[in-house]
Amino acid sequence: MPRIAVVDKDLCKPKECYRECFRFCPLVKNKVMAIEINEELQRPMIKENLCVGCGICIKKCPFSAITIVNLPEELERECVHQYGANGFRLYRLPPPRKGHVLGLIGPNGTGKTTILRILAGDLVPNLGNIELRPTKDDVVRFFAGTELQSYFRALYSGRLRVVHKIQYVDVIPKYIKGAVKDLLAKVDERGLWKDLAKELDLVDVIDREVSALCGGELQRLAIIAACSREADVYIFDEPASYLDVMQRLKVSKVIRSLSQEGKAVVVAEHDLAILDYVSDKVCIMYGKPGAYGIASQPYGVRVGINIYLDGYIPGENVRFREEPIRFRLRPRPRESLSGNELFSWPSFKVEVGGVFELTVNQGVVHEGEVIGILGPNGIGKTTFVRSLLERISKEGKSEIKLSYKPQYLTPEGDEVVYDYLSRNLGGVLSSSWFKSEICQPFMLEHLFDRKLSSLSGGELQRVSIACALAREADIYLLDEPSAYLDVEQRLIMAKLVRKIVDERKAAAFVVEHDVVVMDAVADSIMVFSGRPGVYGIASSPTDLRSGFNVFLREVDVTFRRDLHSGRVRINKPDSYLHRKQKSIGEYYYIPEREEAEEKEGR
């Protein structure tokens, strides 16, 4: 059985430890050098062919930097890429197909971006050979007898053109200067950039400099630039990041249109509803984040996402999650909460900088209630949350304790995660409740010794959410808590919010763009409408079904429920169910009994 040993370079701190991995290894004590210290890097090197997998080095490492995993023997022949000695390994690749959108679903750190870079030709896989780097011809021979052989042969010979939309669009201004319209005109090979700019609401900023764009505008710029180029394969790495619900749906329609033109499309995305809507096939990524990742065979989109939520792949007899993820089939009626009012607010208006005005209708929040806040970017959602904070403070309601997670956590100085949490949480940090309910699900322990300034967006988000939810409070205000998180982390967050609100008889306001997360966490909805950047109107809280119906009617989208997992799914625009639900005014979904009858009747 092959054994892989991974040493996390970010966590390993040889200057701050006593080389416990080397000193306590039983093989080293018996003069078998299964672990050696690299003199140049001053970092341990674990020889996998000698390691017996006892796990002592894992337990003794003070920074949890070592991972040792036993894998099935047949996987050893399917290693596609390895990042250096004791580095991350990727097993298998999914095959892109013309006229299809292939979706990738899985946790962060399991190799999705690596797959996209390999398929784009940006990274030539080393096939697990870190000493003698294989040639492109070796890669073609490695995939002999599969669809990928002809793919890589065409890619490396220049007969296959690939366009790759990168994951981190915020780095674009560092490398590209000039006005938006000049950039798009320069890359436009299909004569589409003006139509796409109009379709994705980028017309208002085409005269701006690229450096002046926000995250959502940079994301749409990158997508338009990719779709404007002529290619055989289009690759999109997390195209929904920074975008609101309406923008995500518009981007999904643009991406789907590429496959309808006969192009091969590959998309990695964490928003389940968007991935479901845009994809024809889905590949599941599983493994141990940061150590290894395995790509499953392609499945139909409904079956593939349900397999991922179940945590078990029947075709490979692999279980990668102990418990399946399930969603509630019916939201809790808002009337059941009407007896325990926690806080109410009258109608009011807020002006921001003299250029934006938000009108808020009166409302009330009850104990045990989660109010979801839904609407486009720039419509006043964050302004409303901050206004509530100020209103509660000004009214002298000192008995109401608040906990606020801002949209962006900006790290300052060289403070490490443990010190930041200790400063904000005090004794809660050492409690067994914090360790079991928050620390373990969000995998925070291995971040404790890291500086806040060195964390990725997802790691920083997990720290911020943990800090907000661990506080004792009556009202929790969470601004876009799912941003940067992978699917599993988003659903863990939603489940934790619901549990804390119920147990503490508290309430929560959650600003969110992921409709699957919103459906899973919210009891009520506040729909924000208006003109982004000019004026916004916040509705009174209403039940989930009514709120979603109002919102979805505006964007002309209908939802249905998957009867296996309970998750919401977006109906295709030309489907029978979409037309049926529009005709009866049920945009959110038809209740499961009626939906089952509809299916039986067809």
Side-chain angles (χ1 to χ4, degrees):
M1 179 176 288
R3 181 175 294 110
I4 66 171
V6 178
V7 179
D8 192 311
K9 296 177 182 178
D10 293 325
L11 298 180
C12 182
K13 301 177 182 179
K15 294 181 180 180
E16 300 179 26
C17 73
Y18 297 98
R19 299 182 177 180
E20 285 88 347
C21 56
F22 180 81
R23 289 172 46 232
F24 288 98
C25 177
L27 292 178
V28 171
K29 288 182 178 181
N30 287 294
K31 308 302 181 184
V32 178
M33 304 309 291
I35 300 179
E36 293 183 351
I37 304 299
N38 186 298
E39 295 300 331
E40 182 179 349
L41 301 175
Q42 290 296 303
R43 185 173 289 129
M45 302 289 290
I46 302 175
K47 296 182 179 178
E48 295 161 351
N49 60 328
L50 298 178
C51 176
V52 295
C54 65
I56 292 176
C57 59
I58 300 174
K59 297 175 182 177
K60 293 293 183 181
C61 176
F63 304 111
S64 302
I66 298 174
T67 302
I68 296 176
V69 183
N70 295 324
L71 293 177
E73 191 169 343
E74 56 269 19
L75 270 181
E76 191 173 16
R77 298 186 294 272
E78 298 184 78
C79 182
V80 175
H81 190 72
Q82 179 177 346
Y83 286 100
N86 297 147
F88 175 86
R89 290 167 172 81
L90 173 67
Y91 296 91
R92 303 180 191 152
L93 285 180
R97 291 176 183 170
K98 290 182 179 180
H100 286 78
V101 180
L102 175 67
L104 300 182
I105 182 174
N108 286 329
T110 52
K112 296 188 298 297
T113 297
T114 299
I115 286 176
L116 299 186
R117 291 183 63 209
I118 291 173
L119 293 177
D122 300 333
L123 174 67
V124 177
N126 59 23
L127 310 180
N129 191 336
I130 59 176
E131 295 178 357
L132 184 61
R133 198 168 189 86
T135 64
K136 291 180 178 180
D137 289 335
D138 294 329
V139 175
V140 172
R141 283 193 293 270
F142 179 82
F143 292 104
T146 69
E147 295 177 70
L148 287 166
Q149 183 180 36
S150 58
Y151 178 89
F152 282 111
R153 183 181 288 122
L155 177 67
Y156 293 150
S157 65
R159 290 183 286 109
L160 189 74
R161 190 175 178 191
V162 181
V163 171
H164 181 198
K165 199 287 295 180
I166 60 174
Q167 177 182 2
Y168 299 108
V169 294
D170 52 326
V171 303
I172 290 176
K174 296 180 181 179
Y175 302 100
I176 298 176
K177 308 296 180 184
V180 171
K181 63 181 180 182
D182 296 333
L183 167 64
L184 292 177
K186 185 177 180 180
V187 301
D188 187 25
E189 298 169 347
R190 306 174 67 203
L192 293 176
W193 81 264
K194 291 183 179 179
D195 294 334
L196 290 173
K198 185 176 180 180
E199 190 169 351
L200 298 185
D201 303 320
L202 205 67
V203 175
D204 293 340
V205 301
I206 60 173
D207 292 318
R208 291 186 195 172
E209 292 290 311
V210 173
S211 57
L213 301 184
C214 67
E217 291 163 346
L218 286 171
Q219 183 71 273
R220 284 174 283 154
L221 170 65
I223 291 169
I224 293 171
C227 295
S228 298
R229 298 174 63 188
E230 187 62 57
D232 304 293
V233 181
Y234 292 85
I235 294 175
F236 298 90
D237 199 347
E238 298 190 21
S241 299
Y242 301 102
L243 303 183
D244 61 42
V245 180
M246 296 180 182
Q247 292 165 349
R248 293 181 185 198
L249 293 168
K250 291 177 181 179
V251 163
S252 300
K253 291 176 182 177
V254 169
I255 292 174
R256 275 208 65 82
S257 69
L258 294 171
S259 67
Q260 292 164 1
E261 297 172 16
K263 311 293 186 180
V265 183
V266 185
V267 178
E269 181 51 60
H270 293 306
D271 186 326
L272 278 182
I274 295 302
L275 186 74
D276 188 350
Y277 179 69
V278 78
S279 304
D280 298 300
K281 297 284 185 179
V282 166
C283 274
I284 301 156
M285 299 298 302
Y286 62 96
K288 186 173 180 59
Y292 72 97
I294 304 171
S296 76
Q297 67 181 47
Y299 292 92
V301 62
R302 176 184 172 275
V303 172
I305 293 179
N306 283 343
I307 285 175
Y308 176 75
L309 294 174
D310 287 344
Y312 175 69
I313 305 178
E316 300 177 23
N317 194 25
V318 170
R319 179 169 294 282
F320 55 88
R321 191 187 306 111
E322 293 182 5
E323 297 290 335
I325 296 172
R326 289 290 178 267
F327 299 85
R328 53 188 177 173
L329 286 173
R330 281 184 181 274
R332 180 166 48 176
R334 194 162 194 264
E335 293 75 18
S336 65
L337 302 166
S338 59
N340 303 302
E341 181 179 315
L342 187 60
F343 176 72
S344 62
W345 63 92
S347 299
F348 64 90
K349 290 186 179 182
V350 182
E351 288 191 6
V352 181
V355 295
F356 178 81
E357 182 179 84
L358 173 66
T359 301
V360 180
N361 291 316
Q362 65 180 14
V364 60
V365 61
H366 308 89
E367 289 182 0
E369 182 177 17
V370 179
I371 295 180
I373 298 175
L374 195 61
N377 286 329
I379 206 70
K381 301 186 300 297
T382 299
T383 300
F384 168 73
V385 170
R386 290 174 178 170
S387 298
L388 277 188
L389 284 169
E390 294 175 6
R391 186 166 290 273
I392 292 172
S393 301
K394 286 181 180 178
E395 291 181 6
K397 293 184 178 293
S398 57
E399 73 278 5
I400 296 180
K401 297 178 182 178
L402 299 175
S403 182
Y404 176 49
K405 188 211 82 69
Q407 185 175 2
Y408 304 108
L409 178 62
T410 306
E412 298 179 2
D414 293 330
E415 190 173 28
V416 298
V417 171
Y418 187 87
D419 292 341
Y420 172 80
L421 292 174
S422 181
R423 177 166 57 84
N424 284 276
L425 301 179
V428 175
L429 186 61
S430 58
S431 67
S432 58
W433 174 86
F434 179 82
K435 291 177 181 177
S436 62
E437 297 294 335
I438 293 182
C439 193
Q440 290 180 7
F442 283 118
M443 297 180 290
L444 294 181
E445 280 193 9
H446 76 278
L447 301 178
F448 280 172
D449 296 309
R450 300 265 301 277
K451 293 180 181 179
L452 284 169
S453 56
S454 71
L455 300 184
S456 67
E459 291 167 340
L460 205 59
Q461 185 75 286
R462 280 150 48 199
V463 171
S464 184
I465 293 170
C467 192
L469 294 181
R471 297 190 191 103
E472 283 281 351
D474 299 302
I475 297 178
Y476 295 87
L477 302 156
L478 308 175
D479 200 345
E480 297 192 25
S482 75
Y484 304 106
L485 301 183
D486 62 38
V487 176
E488 201 153 344
Q489 292 165 351
R490 292 181 184 199
L491 299 177
I492 287 172
M493 178 275 297
K495 184 178 179 181
L496 187 58
V497 170
R498 284 239 53 93
K499 185 175 182 180
I500 287 175
V501 165
D502 288 337
E503 290 180 351
R504 295 178 178 173
K505 297 186 184 304
F509 291 85
V510 180
V511 179
E512 188 52 67
H513 292 307
D514 187 327
V515 292
V516 173
V517 172
M518 182 68 83
D519 178 72
V521 75
D523 299 301
S524 311
I525 289 285
M526 289 181 66
V527 178
F528 281 59
S529 56
R531 184 178 175 187
V534 180
Y535 71 92
I537 302 171
S539 72
S540 300
T542 184
D543 65 273
L544 208 61
R545 190 168 181 179
S546 300
F548 262 116
N549 267 322
V550 169
F551 175 75
L552 295 173
R553 187 178 289 109
E554 289 184 15
V555 295
D556 192 30
V557 167
T558 57
F559 284 170
R560 68 186 184 278
R561 281 208 182 275
D562 182 83
L563 297 180
H564 177 75
S565 63
R567 63 187 170 91
V568 294
R569 304 183 67 196
I570 302 175
N571 294 319
K572 297 291 191 291
D574 55 348
S575 68
Y576 163 79
L577 204 52
H578 176 72
R579 298 192 303 271
K580 174 67 175 178
Q581 289 183 221
K582 281 185 65 176
S583 68
I584 62 175
E586 285 289 355
Y587 286 75
Y588 184 31
Y589 69 93
I590 300 176
E592 65 271 14
R593 186 175 299 172
E594 296 176 30
E595 186 174 343
E597 290 173 358
E598 287 288 333
K599 289 189 175 183
E600 289 174 3
R602 292 204 299 275

